[in-house]
Amino acid sequence: MSRVTEQYEAFPYPERDPADEATRLITGSPSHPLEIDHFLFGGTRDWSQPFRALVAGGGTGDALIQLAQVLTSAGKPYEITYLDLSTASRRIAEARAAARGLTGITFLTRSLLDAPKLGPFDYIDCCGVLHHLPDPQAGFDALAAALAPEGGMGLMVYAPFGRSGVYPLQEAFGTVLTGTARDRLRRAKAIFERIPEGHPFKRNAQLSDHRASDAGFYDLLLHSQDRPFRIGELLDTLDRAGLVMTGSPQAHLYDPLPILGDKGLLVGMDDRARMDVAEALRGTIRTHVLYAARSAEGRVAQAGPQAVPHLKGVTGPKLAQHAAKHGVIPVSHEGERFEIPVPALAVRALAQVDGRRTLDEIARAARTDWLAFAPIWAGVSKALTGHGILTYSRLLRG
Ligand SMILES: C[S@@+](CC[C@H](N)C(=O)[O-])C[C@H]1O[C@@H](n2cnc3c(N)ncnc32)[C@H](O)[C@@H]1O
């Protein structure tokens, strides 16, 4: 058994209790169907057709449960294949699905490198997995080969700068600690307490997984195979797999202009170089969350890194009016201010905000029309999505 499999057999990730399904649905990014519809299908997917999805390296099931539950609640047909090397993780994911009475899921204990034999899929979720493969490119290639021609994927892979401090500790623990996964965890936790407060890890306020659970501590600090990607490297890796980025819910983070303050400094740079500069200037991106497909053509309402449909504070009629008038929503994120373009169809919906009805009411009333509004909580872009995602998807249109 490889060290990676040994880890996830001992500490299924993330730590989840199937009993919690009775009280909460964990939602996040990527893989909320409304987000998928926006970034991969231009909001035009016909959800009466079965949605064939693969959750590759599904762990304890967050993306799987979100996908299956949202589609079940919306009364839409789907076939989901869950795949993971860890049997302990699979058991938890199965128990969570059973607790919700979700059907239409095939559970497999296999490597995602086998994905091409299982496809084709309309959608592949692969969150927090590809950076743990011995050869990540082989993983990207395998998933690309499992896609239906018009299909696409939602990916999350680690980014280096926002994880500052993680890699020196992984290296030190990996060098000195032996024994079972539990032995290593116990000793690492004791050593961690003696690490000086000035260590970059302890100064990195963005990292909290090690406090959340044993599985989180192990995943962050004791992983034996963990390779972060700069955004440019990730786009190159997608290129080699025959894929292109079709959008990202955190696209605003890849825009260097708010920090540079001078468009002139960007003259002559292509999108990729600009995104690398933005990542370096921000220094806080921990993960890249993006959608990818064979071609970006016809995918999103507005192409490019600024195609972001998420809105913050949309409960306020003033903000909605601002969006309707200017086509952008002003947001602040980690102390920076951004203007986020709103898809044209959403602008038209926002123009209907009258100060008497909440956006939820407008969305409910519009169910037979083109606007759907679904609350989405948590996920890496919570600061932007905390109040919801506004979409023109037909998923909830009945
Ligand atoms: C950090 S967890 C992420 C779990 C889940 N995707 C999530 O985001 O909550 C990584 C998962 O990938 C699985 N994994 C690692 N390599 C794999 C491979 N080659 N094929 C399938 N699963 C793999 C591990 O067993 C583990 O469950």
Side-chain angles (χ1 to χ4, degrees), residues 24-368:
R24 63 170 180 174
L25 172 65
I26 295 171
T27 57
S29 186
S31 295
H32 192 290
L34 294 175
E35 227 184 61
I36 294 170
D37 204 358
H38 174 77
F39 286 115
L40 292 172
F41 302 104
T44 60
R45 185 171 194 280
D46 178 358
W47 291 94
S48 69
Q49 297 305 307
F51 188 60
R52 299 165 301 173
L54 171 70
V55 180
T60 51
D62 280 2
L64 168 78
I65 299 298
Q66 168 173 257
L67 261 179
Q69 184 63 63
V70 172
L71 293 175
T72 299
S73 302
K76 306 299 180 195
Y78 63 84
E79 296 158 16
I80 305 178
T81 302
Y82 160 103
L83 184 153
D84 201 289
L85 287 172
S86 155
T87 53
S89 302
R90 169 184 167 167
R91 275 196 295 277
I92 294 168
E94 281 177 318
R96 292 177 70 187
R100 290 178 170 274
L102 296 170
T103 55
I105 305 168
T106 304
F107 288 91
L108 299 176
T109 302
R110 277 170 87 160
S111 169
L112 62 79
L113 297 175
D114 292 340
K117 294 181 211 145
L118 307 169
F121 297 100
D122 302 314
Y123 179 68
I124 298 176
D125 165 273
C126 194
C127 179
V129 183
L130 290 163
H131 46 237
H132 294 318
L133 264 55
D135 175 4
Q137 184 72 54
F140 282 89
D141 294 349
L143 297 184
L147 277 182
E150 298 305 315
M153 348 178 161
L155 301 172
M156 183 280 267
V157 298
Y158 290 151
F161 301 144
R163 288 167 63 79
S164 70
V166 167
Y167 294 101
L169 293 186
Q170 281 188 5
E171 182 190 303
F173 289 148
T175 304
V176 300
L177 297 181
T178 54
T180 66
R182 289 210 171 273
D183 291 339
R184 292 198 290 270
L185 177 75
R186 185 176 44 77
R187 302 209 62 173
K189 281 186 151 181
I191 296 167
F192 183 80
E193 293 308 316
R194 294 189 289 273
I195 287 169
E197 290 309 312
H199 190 283
F201 183 89
K202 292 215 167 168
R203 298 174 75 93
N204 188 342
Q206 299 206 84
L207 301 170
S208 58
D209 236 14
H210 58 300
R211 287 193 292 270
S213 62
D214 284 352
F217 189 100
Y218 206 106
D219 206 55
L220 192 59
L221 292 173
L222 286 160
H223 216 292
S224 59
Q225 206 157 258
D226 173 335
R227 177 240 192 269
F229 286 75
R230 294 290 305 277
I231 184 66
E233 286 179 294
L234 179 56
L235 297 177
D236 289 343
T237 307
L238 291 176
D239 263 358
R240 288 190 291 271
L243 298 168
V244 291
M245 171 176 168
T246 62
S248 163
Q250 61 185 43
H252 58 286
L253 297 180
Y254 301 116
D255 180 3
L257 196 55
I259 298 179
L260 288 176
D262 177 359
K263 272 194 185 128
L265 297 173
L266 295 171
V267 172
M269 286 170 68
D270 63 16
D271 264 0
R272 197 162 300 193
R274 288 176 190 211
M275 291 167 86
D276 269 336
V277 168
E279 184 180 8
L281 288 172
R282 294 224 150 74
T284 51
I285 300 179
R286 277 176 302 145
T287 59
H288 301 296
V289 179
L290 57 81
Y291 288 85
R294 294 230 167 90
S295 136
E297 214 169 298
R299 295 284 177 178
V300 287
Q302 302 154 319
Q306 288 301 306
V308 184
H310 295 121
L311 310 179
K312 177 174 180 169
V314 286
T315 43
K318 268 204 181 132
L319 199 54
Q321 279 156 12
H322 182 95
K325 195 164 165 200
H326 303 288
V328 294
I329 297 272
V331 297
S332 59
H333 181 69
E334 291 172 358
E336 277 184 72
R337 291 190 58 73
F338 301 91
E339 286 201 328
I340 296 195
V342 182
L345 289 170
V347 170
R348 292 218 304 268
L350 290 170
Q352 297 171 26
V353 174
D354 52 15
R356 281 176 282 122
R357 294 172 298 171
T358 65
L359 260 195
D360 264 344
E361 286 166 342
I362 291 175
R364 266 200 300 277
R367 263 195 184 199
T368 54

